[in-house]
Amino acid sequence: MSSVAVLTQESFNEHRSGLLPEQAAAVAGTSTGEEEDALPTYKDAFPPLPEKAASPEGTQETVNAWTSKIRPLKSSIITQVFHVPLEERKYKDINQFGEGDQAKVCVDIMHKTGAHLELSLAKDQGLSIMVSGKLDAVMKARKEIVSRLQTQASATVAIPKEHHRFVIGKNGEKLQELELKTATKIQIPRPDDPSNQIKISGTKEGLEKAKHEILLISAEQDKRAVERVNIDKVYHPFITGAYNKVVGEMMQETGARINVPPPSVNKTEIVITGEKEQVALAVAMIKKVSEEKANSYTVSSVSAPSWLHRFIIGKKGQNLAKITQQMPKVHIEFTEGEDKITLEGPTKDVQMVQTQIEAIVTDLVSRMDYAEISVDPKFHRHLIGKGGVNINRIKELHKVTVRIPPDNEKSNLIRIEGDPQGVQEAKKELLELASRMENERTKDLIIEQRFHRAIIGQKGEKIKEVRDKFPEVIINFPDPAQKSDIVQLRGPRTEVEKCAKFMQKIVAEMVENSFSVSVPIFKQFHRNIIGKGGSNIKKIREETNTKIDLPAENSNSEMIVITGKKANCEVARNRILAIQKELANITEIEVSIPSKLHNSLIGSKGRFVRSIMEECGGVHIHFPTEGSGIDKVTIRGPLEEVEKAKQQLLALAEEKQTKSHTAELRAKPEYHKFLIGKGGGNIRKVRDSTGARIIFPTSEDKDQELITVIGTEEAVREAQKELEELIKSLDNVVEDTMIVDPKHHRYFVARRGQVLRDLADEYGGVMVSFPRTGSQSEKVTLKGAKECVEAAKKRMQEIVEDLEAQVTIECVISQKFHRSIMGPKGSRIQQITRDHNVQIKFPEREDPQEAPIQENGEANGEVKEPVDPNAPKKCDVIVISGRKERCEAAVEALKALVPVTIEVEVPFELHRYIIGQKGSGIRKMMDEFEVNIQVPAPDQQSDKIAITGLANHLDRAKEGLLERVKELQVEQEDRALRSFKLTITVDPKYHPKIIGRKGAIITNIRTEHDVNIQFPEKNDENQDQITITGYEHKAIAARDAIQAIVDELEEMISEDITLDSRVHARIIGARGKGIRKIMDEFKVDLRFPQSGAADPNLVTVTGRPELVDEAIDHLLNLEEEYMADVVENEAKMAYMRPHGGSAAAMDEHRGPSKGFVVREAPWTTANEKAPDMSSSEDFPSFGAPVATKASPWGPKRF
């Protein structure tokens, strides 16, 4: 008969909990007694502290950490008194006690040692010194006192030479201790000195002490003996024992010192030192151990290939440790390069270990293999890879170990060990890598070092892109300090070639982009080229893709350097030149001069052409690049100066073609200005009379005395003769006087003698001396070269005449225009001052806070005259001083700078567009035309815009403003056309489809048709109205596009299907990946129910009828597949989860926890209970009154 057992959920829970409730109760009743017996006693759980042995009186006292007396701590400060007798004192002058050398020595000792010294004089005139401090400091102070305050004696003591080292001690510590203790100086002869005499110096008392100590050390050494015993090396471990335990015990028992050589030292000699009896006992014990071990000791060996040794040893010696822990008496030795393992130890143990190791070797040989391959050492580091990445990958992949010999071995043998299959695979891969490297090639690219940093890029970003593109190619750049142009590429041949071409292309682009051109622009126009806030220069840089560098403001250079592609540089150059041409009356002409003459016309370092440019008012002369073969030379500048430069260049070119000659002469630099003359007058006369050109050095030239003369031979000879005569006459110093009215002296010496300094610079360093202030003398002395003195004298007379003829004119211009007249940093007024040789003084600004003048009142008892209303204000009067005709010309120039205001008619609705965003539009126009444009306030509703500026700027500004108005009116008309609106009615349910995912569809329609499409807001009444705004034809096209989408959507159908909610998450997938795939594949829309929906299983499918059917079939198939998994998982979970309430039921069966319980506790003996933690009496709160109660725990303390 058979029976079937059914495991239900309830019975399963019972099995999980252990027993049925009835069984649990029965067992609980029977086991209560056993549990009580199993409880620990109070003494077992809380053992008492050990007690003292009974005292002689019969009393016992418990000793523990709480009752034992604590030993008092000793102070680290000690005090000692030293006495120096009168006959041994160094300083015996009684009258100077407490001062003099003795006191200084004591102070010095205190500083040196940190101890405190107190001196006193005894009745016998001996010196008592009390020293306080730490022991070490006191001992050092004592030594210093003896050596410096006490007279010294010396003595010698003879001991055997071999005992000297024991007096010195380890690192000289014993000797230092002895010197401190005896306060003496001990000198021991050197080891190479045959003498055995030790010299001691110090006080008499110290000498005796030191002698005694040294003789004691020697006597102690005389008692010692040394024995050397030869014991075979194999027995040394048994003599030493584990952790030197055996030898330690021997030394402790005999008192002798035993020195066993370490295993690394190949010596059999054991040295024993100590007293004779101790040494003899130790020797006997050692021999006994070695004899015992010799009778029960075996040496054996196991054959094992040397390459397997490390596998037998195991990682960090784990395998070997297991064997040695079982058989600690067996010594196992592995010898590198030998195919055997040596075992030493007791015969029985050695046999067991041998069996184990042979089994390990057999196992390793059956499942391990090795291979050796030969690879050229130069490829080893490439096989290893950066940071070992290649070799580590091979090791992990094939589970093998690979040994690559280090560089210093210069071996080409690589060994692979591990699983036979892994070894073969690793061998194959390494050989493939090696053969690939043999096929590699190295190529050197010549790239100028200046491009290296650009190729590498910031933080190596650019070179990383190249390396990612060619991962098999290694690119090495030279160290910047080497200044090398060679970049090395290494890798597979084809990849290296591709990488080389790619890098050459990069370099070619860099070379193309590094073309540079210099453009000379007059300094005053640099700020216009830069523009306000750098707007102009930034625009040119961006549009031409070039780098433009301007010279510093304080630099005299006019060159603007443009860098980039040649074509772009030319465009940027032309734009900059156009700005200059527009701003000034600049003419540009081209002169044809044979290219072979260009170098001679430019001159050494450009000196020749520079002299022509300076002479012709700073024109710019541009020669074509050398070797281009172009004959055209460009001259740019004011019309008159350009013509003059052209004539000179052509004349010089003709002269060069016929016959050219050069001569050089020297003159002191201070004579140069005088030789040149004012405005180049003197040198022009020489050139006109001789036809030669004279070139003076610039401030940049090293030789400041060299003057070059160029022209025909005859012309050069004549010019040289004239100049030499002139220079010779300048070297003849003369002194002359002239009469200058004292009232004009101040003009010459004012501003720290600026006028006199200018005269000296201009007239060959002539010295002008004026009489002392207050002497009323009219005589002025001039000293220097005769011609210079005459010229300076003439110039001073002209200045005096100007001062005599000087007048002061008032020019009335409203104060509000003063700042505009002055210009930036006073540049305009400085120009007028220079051009007309006058002085201009502007009035102080009027203080608006100043109280109004009282016209008819009295002040200080005086009646003020009535003020003329037509009289100009003081703050409006500009004072001009100089010659009358010059002052009048200056007045005209000032008035020409007064800004004028005109009004322009501009429709009010265009004002905001003219102003622009944050005023950018109007600021741009003001900067461009150098005027001020005032737009009326919006509340005025005025059509008038005021333009204020210089008269010659107003016309351009007005034209520019009207041009802008035309542009805005065209834009306004365009806006009107763009504002065409139409609406289309679309069912709101289609709106999301028209918008598309993340607005993709509607954005595409807006972009394609250039229209704005507005969907209704949530609160709008007409939820089906879509508004389209734009050009009429584009709005209609956009409407048609939307209608086409709607027509397509209307053809679609929606079907609801029931899918079990448990599979929804699987169908949707991670982040909707699954559902998107289905929607894209079947071109349908799926809508799953939201949480809390009435039917959580309802899914809506929308799309074309045929596509909807296919999607539904696919979803139902997925449901069927996923449901099988769901059912299976639920079945598993049913057996894994406990039934509801079963855990609580188990707790009830078990009953409440009793906590930690002990037997025979103090509180149970006297019918006491354990303290109740909920009782306020046993555990009172702070501050609450508590009645005292006797307890086995003792009195309570609060």
Side-chain angles (χ1 to χ4, degrees):
M1 182 178 176
S2 62
S3 61
V4 179
V6 180
L7 182 66
T8 62
Q9 182 67 40
E10 290 76 12
S11 62
F12 178 71
N13 288 334
E14 288 166 6
H15 277 283
R16 285 189 67 195
S17 59
L19 292 168
L20 292 169
E22 295 81 4
Q23 291 171 321
V27 172
T30 58
S31 62
T32 306
E34 293 174 11
E35 283 178 3
E36 285 180 4
D37 293 338
L39 290 174
T41 64
Y42 180 79
K43 282 193 177 181
D44 291 338
F46 306 103
L49 293 170
E51 296 181 348
K52 265 189 179 179
S55 59
E57 290 79 9
T59 60
Q60 286 188 346
E61 188 182 347
T62 304
V63 178
N64 56 44
W66 311 104
T67 57
S68 62
K69 290 183 180 178
I70 298 169
R71 290 176 65 189
L73 291 171
K74 288 185 179 179
S75 170
S76 61
I77 305 296
I78 64 164
T79 302
Q80 286 191 10
V81 178
F82 306 116
H83 187 70
V84 181
L86 176 64
E87 61 272 14
E88 291 183 18
R89 279 179 58 188
K90 262 191 184 179
Y91 307 100
K92 297 181 183 178
D93 191 350
I94 298 164
N95 298 326
Q96 282 194 344
F97 180 74
E99 57 185 49
D101 292 337
Q102 188 169 267
K104 286 177 186 174
V105 168
C106 289
V107 170
D108 189 40
I109 291 169
M110 285 196 285
H111 282 311
K112 265 188 184 178
T113 62
H116 180 69
L117 273 66
E118 289 184 17
L119 274 73
S120 60
L121 208 62
K123 287 183 181 179
D124 61 354
Q125 300 303 316
L127 196 65
S128 292
I129 305 160
M130 186 170 73
V131 185
S132 302
K134 292 190 176 179
L135 179 62
D136 187 41
V138 169
M139 297 308 289
K140 285 180 181 175
R142 178 190 173 195
K143 187 179 175 183
E144 288 286 329
I145 289 163
V146 166
S147 64
R148 297 175 70 176
L149 294 179
Q150 205 166 349
T151 54
Q152 303 289 301
S154 65
T156 57
V157 59
I159 63 169
K161 186 80 175 174
E162 58 269 22
H163 295 173
H164 286 195
R165 63 193 181 93
F166 299 104
V167 175
I168 296 167
K170 192 178 181 181
N171 297 327
E173 289 173 2
K174 184 73 177 175
L175 183 63
Q176 288 174 12
E177 185 188 338
L178 201 58
E179 285 182 336
L180 274 175
K181 189 176 174 183
T182 60
T184 57
K185 176 71 179 170
I186 302 168
Q187 292 178 343
I188 296 172
R190 295 176 64 81
D192 52 0
D193 188 347
S195 172
N196 62 355
Q197 298 285 334
I198 296 175
K199 189 178 179 182
I200 311 163
S201 55
T203 61
K204 286 179 183 177
E205 184 187 352
L207 287 176
E208 293 303 321
K209 279 186 184 177
K211 266 187 185 180
H212 176 69
E213 291 290 337
I214 291 168
L215 290 170
L216 272 179
I217 291 167
S218 180
E220 190 181 335
Q221 295 306 316
D222 281 335
K223 293 178 188 176
R224 298 178 73 80
V226 177
E227 188 76 31
R228 301 175 192 275
V229 183
N230 280 315
I231 304 289
D232 286 343
K233 189 82 175 168
V234 292
Y235 303 122
H236 287 194
F238 304 106
I239 293 166
T240 55
Y243 304 107
N244 292 320
K245 188 178 178 184
V246 174
V247 77
E249 287 172 357
M250 283 185 193
M251 287 194 285
Q252 195 171 356
E253 189 178 333
T254 62
R257 180 181 174 82
I258 303 168
N259 184 13
V260 181
S264 57
V265 178
N266 194 19
K267 278 188 178 181
T268 58
E269 188 178 74
I270 297 174
V271 181
I272 306 106
T273 57
E275 294 187 6
K276 291 176 183 177
E277 297 82 4
Q278 295 172 343
V279 169
L281 183 59
V283 168
M285 289 177 78
I286 289 167
K287 284 182 176 177
K288 185 182 176 185
V289 170
S290 65
E291 285 167 6
E292 283 176 4
K293 295 300 173 187
N295 297 328
S296 63
Y297 193 76
T298 305
V299 177
S300 181
S301 65
V302 178
S303 292
S306 60
W307 65 273
L308 284 178
H309 287 186
R310 60 195 187 83
F311 296 104
I312 295 166
I313 294 165
K315 194 175 183 181
K316 295 183 180 178
Q318 286 176 353
N319 296 347
L320 209 58
K322 289 176 185 175
I323 298 169
T324 53
Q325 281 170 6
Q326 292 172 2
M327 308 289 177
K329 294 181 180 180
V330 178
H331 175 67
I332 304 168
E333 187 175 335
F334 294 83
T335 309
E336 192 176 350
E338 290 186 12
D339 293 340
K340 68 172 184 176
I341 302 166
T342 307
L343 310 176
E344 299 171 358
T347 309
K348 191 178 177 183
D349 291 357
V350 165
Q351 287 172 356
M352 290 178 72
V353 171
Q354 187 171 353
T355 307
Q356 289 182 30
I357 290 177
E358 281 173 351
I360 292 168
V361 170
T362 307
D363 176 54
L364 287 171
V365 168
S366 66
R367 62 183 179 84
M368 297 286 283
D369 194 9
Y370 77 93
E372 290 181 343
I373 58 171
S374 182
V375 177
D376 196 317
K378 68 182 178 183
F379 299 132
H380 286 185
R381 64 192 183 95
H382 305 301
L383 288 176
I384 294 166
K386 192 174 183 181
V389 66
N390 293 347
I391 205 71
N392 289 340
R393 182 184 59 77
I394 292 168
K395 285 177 181 177
E396 288 172 15
L397 182 64
H398 303 298
K399 303 287 186 272
V400 294
T401 58
V402 183
R403 186 190 178 277
I404 296 176
D407 292 342
N408 56 2
E409 284 187 20
K410 293 184 179 175
S411 170
N412 59 357
L413 210 62
I414 295 175
R415 190 181 180 93
I416 310 159
E417 299 168 357
D419 178 71
Q421 188 182 349
V423 167
Q424 292 306 316
E425 288 174 357
K427 178 182 176 181
K428 185 181 175 184
E429 188 171 344
L430 283 168
L431 287 171
E432 282 176 6
L433 277 171
S435 82
R436 199 184 309 160
M437 285 170 193
E438 283 171 1
N439 293 330
E440 282 186 353
R441 65 163 292 189
T442 301
K443 185 169 184 176
D444 290 343
L445 283 182
I446 307 296
I447 299 173
E448 287 183 61
Q449 197 182 30
R450 64 192 174 107
F451 295 128
H452 290 189
R453 186 176 288 180
I455 292 168
I456 293 166
Q458 193 175 12
K459 295 182 180 176
E461 288 174 0
K462 291 188 178 176
I463 199 66
K464 188 176 181 295
E465 290 174 13
V466 179
R467 283 175 175 148
D468 292 345
K469 193 176 176 71
F470 303 99
E472 294 182 45
V473 180
I474 296 167
I475 304 166
N476 289 323
F477 283 85
D479 191 271
Q482 293 177 0
K483 296 188 177 176
S484 171
D485 293 339
I486 297 171
V487 176
Q488 194 179 72
L489 309 180
R490 194 186 68 254
R493 191 181 298 274
T494 52
E495 289 297 305
V496 166
E497 289 299 328
K498 285 179 187 175
C499 184
K501 284 180 183 176
F502 183 76
M503 288 190 72
Q504 282 166 348
K505 188 180 176 184
I506 292 172
V507 172
E509 285 177 9
M510 286 182 176
V511 170
E512 189 182 356
N513 289 330
S514 64
F515 178 80
S516 182
V517 64
S518 297
V519 188
I521 298 292
F522 293 103
K523 195 78 176 176
Q524 63 266 33
F525 301 130
H526 282 199
R527 64 187 183 87
N528 303 92
I529 286 159
I530 294 167
K532 191 166 185 182
S535 57
N536 291 354
I537 200 77
K538 189 179 178 184
K539 189 178 179 184
I540 296 169
R541 281 171 179 156
E542 287 172 357
E543 290 179 4
T544 61
N545 194 23
T546 55
K547 181 186 175 189
I548 303 171
D549 295 315
L550 286 93
E553 260 188 65
N554 53 2
S555 167
N556 293 324
S557 173
E558 294 183 336
M559 288 295 180
I560 295 176
V561 181
I562 307 167
T563 309
K565 288 186 178 178
K566 189 174 181 181
N568 293 347
C569 288
E570 289 298 328
V571 172
R573 177 175 174 272
N574 293 336
R575 286 185 63 171
I576 289 170
L577 290 172
I579 292 171
Q580 179 180 249
K581 197 170 183 180
E582 190 182 336
L583 289 168
N585 182 23
I586 302 298
T587 306
E588 185 178 303
I589 63 167
E590 290 181 345
V591 183
S592 185
I593 295 172
S595 57
K596 63 182 180 181
L597 300 175
H598 289 185
N599 280 345
S600 58
L601 289 175
I602 292 167
S604 175
K605 295 181 182 178
R607 287 173 64 197
F608 201 0
V609 77
R610 199 161 52 241
S611 70
I612 297 171
M613 288 194 288
E614 287 171 2
E615 192 176 325
C616 299
V619 295
H620 291 146
I621 301 172
H622 177 68
F623 283 85
T625 52
E626 192 177 351
S628 63
I630 299 169
D631 293 341
K632 288 180 181 177
V633 178
T634 309
I635 308 169
R636 193 184 303 110
L639 184 61
E640 290 178 11
E641 302 299 335
V642 166
E643 283 299 325
K644 193 194 291 184
K646 178 185 174 182
Q647 295 303 324
Q648 287 199 28
L649 270 176
L650 290 171
L652 282 166
E654 190 179 343
E655 194 178 289
K656 290 277 181 190
Q657 279 180 313
T658 54
K659 195 176 182 184
S660 180
H661 191 70
T662 304
E664 292 179 349
L665 61 153
R666 293 182 172 278
K668 292 178 183 177
E670 56 264 29
Y671 294 161
H672 290 188
K673 279 194 178 180
F674 177 74
L675 292 171
I676 294 165
K678 192 173 182 181
N682 295 351
I683 212 70
R684 200 179 294 114
K685 282 179 189 174
V686 176
R687 197 186 68 221
D688 292 344
S689 63
T690 61
R693 172 166 293 281
I694 296 106
I695 301 170
F696 286 85
T698 62
S699 57
E700 295 169 3
D701 291 333
K702 288 183 181 177
D703 195 344
Q704 290 289 307
E705 292 188 356
L706 190 68
I707 300 169
T708 309
V709 187
I710 300 170
T712 61
E713 190 174 351
E714 189 182 344
V716 166
R717 198 185 306 115
E718 286 180 18
Q720 189 176 4
K721 188 181 176 183
E722 280 191 38
L723 284 170
E724 282 174 348
E725 287 175 2
L726 206 54
I727 292 163
K728 193 176 179 182
S729 65
L730 288 173
D731 287 334
N732 298 326
V733 178
V734 297
E735 190 173 307
D736 198 0
T737 57
M738 65 178 292
I739 303 301
V740 177
D741 195 317
K743 68 181 178 181
H744 300 311
H745 288 190
R746 188 175 178 184
Y747 173 80
F748 288 96
V749 298
R751 291 176 297 151
R752 297 183 182 176
Q754 183 62 45
V755 176
L756 297 179
R757 281 202 301 276
D758 293 343
L759 285 169
D761 287 345
E762 195 172 343
Y763 299 104
V766 67
M767 290 174 63
V768 183
S769 301
F770 278 80
R772 289 182 179 277
T773 309
S775 63
Q776 296 300 316
S777 173
E778 296 180 342
K779 190 187 284 186
V780 176
T781 307
L782 293 88
K783 190 177 181 182
K786 189 176 180 183
E787 283 76 6
C788 293
V789 168
E790 289 298 327
K793 190 175 178 182
K794 188 179 177 183
R795 175 65 187 135
M796 285 178 72
Q797 285 169 348
E798 286 174 7
I799 291 169
V800 170
E801 284 176 17
D802 284 348
L803 291 171
E804 292 285 355
Q806 186 167 319
V807 295
T808 300
I809 294 177
E810 291 183 349
C811 176
V812 179
I813 296 173
S814 179
Q815 190 185 42
K816 65 183 179 181
F817 300 127
H818 288 187
R819 181 173 290 179
S820 172
I821 291 166
M822 286 181 184
K825 296 181 182 177
S827 58
R828 290 177 181 169
I829 212 70
Q830 287 168 12
Q831 189 64 40
I832 293 170
T833 304
R834 281 196 299 271
D835 291 347
H836 301 286
N837 195 18
V838 294
Q839 291 181 344
I840 302 171
K841 186 180 179 184
F842 279 79
E844 296 291 329
R845 291 183 66 79
E846 185 180 30
D847 187 0
Q849 302 296 327
E850 195 177 331
I853 298 167
Q854 196 173 10
E855 292 186 1
N856 297 320
E858 290 184 5
N860 300 328
E862 293 180 5
V863 179
K864 287 200 171 184
E865 291 292 329
V867 177
D868 184 0
N870 298 321
K873 292 182 182 178
K874 282 186 179 180
C875 61
D876 295 340
V877 177
I878 301 169
V879 179
I880 306 164
S881 302
R883 281 182 175 269
K884 188 178 179 183
E885 61 276 11
R886 290 176 182 168
C887 288
E888 288 169 354
V891 168
E892 292 301 320
L894 282 172
K895 287 182 176 176
L897 292 175
V898 174
V900 181
T901 303
I902 60 168
E903 289 185 342
V904 182
E905 193 87 22
V906 177
F908 173 73
E909 62 269 15
L910 298 179
H911 286 191
R912 64 194 182 96
Y913 300 110
I914 286 167
I915 292 167
Q917 192 176 15
K918 294 182 181 178
S920 59
I922 201 162
R923 271 202 306 275
K924 187 182 176 185
M925 290 176 72
M926 286 161 65
D927 292 341
E928 188 179 348
F929 302 117
E930 294 185 36
V931 293
N932 181 39
I933 301 172
Q934 189 69 36
V935 180
D939 55 357
Q940 292 180 10
Q941 299 284 314
S942 172
D943 293 340
K944 303 283 186 184
I945 290 181
I947 305 175
T948 305
L950 300 180
N952 55 345
H953 293 166
L954 289 178
D955 291 337
R956 281 197 315 122
K958 184 178 178 181
E959 285 174 16
L961 182 59
L962 293 173
E963 190 66 36
R964 178 67 181 141
V965 169
K966 284 181 187 175
E967 287 175 13
L968 291 170
Q969 285 171 342
V970 170
E971 287 175 14
Q972 208 171 25
E973 290 170 10
D974 185 57
R975 271 198 301 275
L977 292 171
R978 285 179 68 92
S979 61
F980 176 79
K981 279 188 183 180
L982 62 82
T983 56
I984 179 172
T985 304
V986 177
D987 193 322
K989 69 180 180 181
Y990 297 136
H991 288 188
K993 292 291 180 186
I994 294 166
I995 292 166
R997 190 163 174 262
K998 294 183 179 178
I1001 296 170
I1002 201 68
T1003 303
N1004 191 31
I1005 295 169
R1006 282 173 178 152
T1007 309
E1008 188 180 343
H1009 300 288
D1010 192 21
V1011 293
N1012 180 32
I1013 302 169
Q1014 194 69 37
F1015 283 82
E1017 298 290 336
K1018 283 186 180 179
N1019 302 326
D1020 285 355
E1021 292 179 6
N1022 300 322
Q1023 284 292 309
D1024 56 354
Q1025 298 289 323
I1026 297 173
T1027 307
I1028 306 169
T1029 309
Y1031 292 114
E1032 186 176 356
H1033 65 285
K1034 291 187 176 181
I1036 292 166
R1039 180 195 64 188
D1040 294 343
I1042 292 170
Q1043 190 62 50
I1045 293 168
V1046 172
D1047 293 343
E1048 190 178 335
L1049 291 170
E1050 284 176 345
E1051 291 177 11
M1052 293 183 178
I1053 61 165
S1054 289
E1055 280 195 28
D1056 294 338
I1057 60 168
T1058 302
L1059 290 180
D1060 196 305
S1061 60
R1062 290 174 290 176
V1063 300
H1064 287 190
R1066 288 282 298 275
I1067 292 169
I1068 291 166
R1071 297 182 182 177
K1073 192 176 179 182
I1075 195 172
R1076 276 201 302 276
K1077 187 180 177 184
I1078 296 167
M1079 288 162 70
D1080 292 343
E1081 186 179 344
F1082 296 100
K1083 302 291 188 292
V1084 294
D1085 182 53
L1086 298 179
R1087 286 281 176 267
F1088 283 80
Q1090 293 181 348
S1091 58
D1095 186 354
N1097 301 324
L1098 197 68
V1099 177
T1100 305
V1101 186
T1102 307
R1104 291 182 177 278
E1106 64 276 10
L1107 298 174
V1108 167
D1109 291 340
E1110 288 178 15
I1112 289 171
D1113 289 342
H1114 181 70
L1115 287 169
L1116 292 171
N1117 288 337
L1118 286 176
E1119 180 195 26
E1120 189 178 343
E1121 182 185 335
Y1122 294 155
M1123 277 304 294
D1125 294 342
V1126 169
V1127 171
E1128 188 180 338
N1129 288 337
E1130 285 181 351
K1132 285 180 185 175
M1133 294 300 292
Y1135 289 102
M1136 292 173 70
R1137 281 198 307 268
H1139 192 269
S1142 63
M1146 278 304 300
D1147 289 343
E1148 286 174 13
H1149 297 324
R1150 288 175 190 152
S1153 173
K1154 294 179 181 179
F1156 182 70
V1157 182
V1158 293
R1159 293 180 291 124
E1160 300 174 14
W1163 54 83
T1164 59
T1165 55
N1167 297 321
E1168 288 277 348
K1169 289 182 180 179
D1172 182 7
M1173 290 193 293
S1174 61
S1175 166
S1176 60
E1177 186 180 345
D1178 289 336
F1179 295 94
S1181 57
F1182 285 111
V1186 181
T1188 57
K1189 175 178 155 186
S1191 166
W1193 303 95
K1196 294 182 180 179
R1197 298 178 181 86
F1198 300 105

